[in-house]
Amino acid sequence: MRIVLLGAPGSGKGTQAQRLAQERGMPQISTGDLLRGAVAAGTALGTRAKAAMDAGRLVEDAIVLGIIAERLDAPDVRQGFVLDGFPRNIEQATALDAMLAKLGQPLDAVVLMEVDRTELVRRISGRRTCRDCGRVFNVSTAGGSGAPDEACPKEGGPHRLFQRPDDNEHTVAERLKVYDEKTKPLVEFYRVQGLLRTIKAEGSVLEVAKRLDAALGISKRPAIARRHRPPAGALSAPRARNRSTPKRSR
Ligand code: AMP
C-alpha cells in the first residue's frame, strides 16, 4: 500500500508510521527525520534547512522535493510506503502526484489523524526520541519515564531519550499556525480525489492503531507483528481478554 498520514504536529503520524513499518515492513518516509539527519550530518542541504526548522516554518519545497524524489527512487519503496510529514502544502502534493504517476504507483489512501488542539500541545511537550533507534515515546503516556523498560533494539541498553529542539512552546505555536495555513488545505485536495479517510487519533497508541488499520482495510495483524510484540504489557493483555469474551454464552 502507498499511504500518506496527514495531521498536525503531535497527532501521532510518526508513531503510527513506525508501527506500520515494523508490523508490515512498509518503509516509513518521514521528511522531518530525513531533514534532521541532513542537519545532524552537516550537509549543505541540512544547513539550508536548519533555520526554517528551528523557527517552525516549512523548509523550501525545492529541498524537500529533492529529498523525496531521491527516496522514492530507492528499490525498497516498490512494495509500498507510508509517508509521514509529507506533503505539507498543495505544491508538494501536486509534485508528489506527478512523481507517483511517473512511477505508475499512485496513492492508495490518505488518512487524516484528528486530535484536539489542547491534546496536541500536551503531546508535543511530552515527546521524547531515542537518540540511537529513533523511536518516539511520550513522558505523559509512558509511566513518567518516557520509555518502557524494554531495551533499545539498536544499542541493547536503555533508550537514550532527548527532546527535539523544535518541540518548545514558541516553535510549536508557529508549527500549528503553519499547519492551519499550509497543510490543512490538503484535506480538501485529497477529499476531492476520493482518497481521504479520517480517524479520531486520540486515546492510546493501540486504540489509534486499530482505527487506522480499520480505515486502511487492514483486518488482521501480520505474522511479523506477532513476532515483534512485547512479551507482556499493555499491548498483549487486552487482546488476550478479548479473545476469551465469546465464551460467556450462558
Ligand atoms: P516533523 O518532524 O514532520 O514535525 O518536521 C519537523 C520540521 O521539518 C518541520 O517543522 C519543518 O520545518 C520541516 N519539514 C518536515 N517535513 C517538511 C515538509 N514536507 N515540507 C517542509 N518542511 C518540512
Side-chain angles (χ1 to χ4, degrees):
M1 284 187 102
R2 293 174 292 275
I3 303 164
V4 169
L5 296 185
L6 194 60
S11 59
K13 302 184 300 294
T15 300
Q16 293 299 331
Q18 282 179 354
R19 177 188 67 84
L20 286 171
Q22 193 185 18
E23 289 183 359
R24 309 247 150 213
M26 304 162 74
Q28 171 199 11
I29 305 180
S30 156
T31 39
D33 285 350
L34 293 169
L35 288 165
R36 277 185 289 278
V39 171
T43 64
L45 190 147
T47 310
R48 277 172 66 199
K50 189 174 183 315
M53 293 175 77
D54 286 347
R57 297 191 312 268
L58 293 187
V59 172
E60 56 189 282
D61 288 344
I63 294 181
V64 177
L65 291 173
I67 288 180
I68 282 289
E70 194 178 324
R71 187 65 189 86
L72 290 177
D73 208 28
D76 66 324
V77 303
R78 294 290 169 267
Q79 306 305 319
F81 52 77
V82 48
L83 279 166
D84 146 26
F86 178 90
R88 253 172 152 110
N89 59 27
I90 296 285
E91 292 75 16
Q92 292 180 8
T94 308
L96 174 66
D97 277 356
M99 281 183 224
L100 294 178
K102 222 166 155 187
L103 294 168
Q105 303 200 315
L107 291 173
D108 294 304
V110 175
V111 182
L112 172 64
M113 300 177 59
E114 285 190 325
V115 176
D116 172 81
R117 195 49 58 118
T118 320
E119 172 66 6
L120 286 176
V121 175
R122 189 185 71 83
R123 284 190 191 178
I124 295 173
S125 49
R127 178 158 64 185
R128 303 288 184 274
T129 310
C130 175
R131 216 170 270 291
D132 303 307
C133 70
R135 271 190 66 190
V136 178
F137 301 95
N138 205 295
V139 290
S140 58
T141 53
S145 67
D149 290 336
E150 68 181 35
C152 168
K154 193 141 184 229
E155 292 298 320
H159 290 285
R160 296 193 304 143
L161 302 183
F162 76 100
Q163 184 171 29
R164 277 171 45 175
D166 59 343
D167 277 350
N168 66 73
E169 204 179 326
H170 177 75
T171 311
V172 167
E174 180 64 21
R175 285 160 65 202
L176 291 172
K177 189 165 149 249
V178 167
Y179 175 76
D180 286 341
E181 288 174 7
K182 305 269 168 67
T183 311
K184 248 190 186 165
L186 293 181
V187 173
E188 200 48 34
F189 180 90
Y190 286 121
R191 197 195 307 276
V192 168
Q193 290 193 25
L195 289 171
L196 190 75
R197 299 161 201 193
T198 303
I199 63 163
K200 184 168 169 258
E202 291 174 16
S204 71
V205 172
L206 185 61
E207 284 165 346
V208 177
K210 283 184 180 165
R211 284 181 221 129
L212 177 58
D213 286 358
L216 293 172
I218 299 172
S219 52
K220 275 205 299 189
R221 290 183 168 244
I224 184 170
R226 288 195 290 273
R227 279 203 305 279
H228 286 286
R229 198 187 306 151
L235 281 176
S236 49
R239 290 169 64 82
R241 272 201 300 279
N242 287 345
R243 271 200 296 277
S244 67
T245 311
K247 286 186 186 160
R248 286 183 310 165
S249 55
R250 274 176 276 154

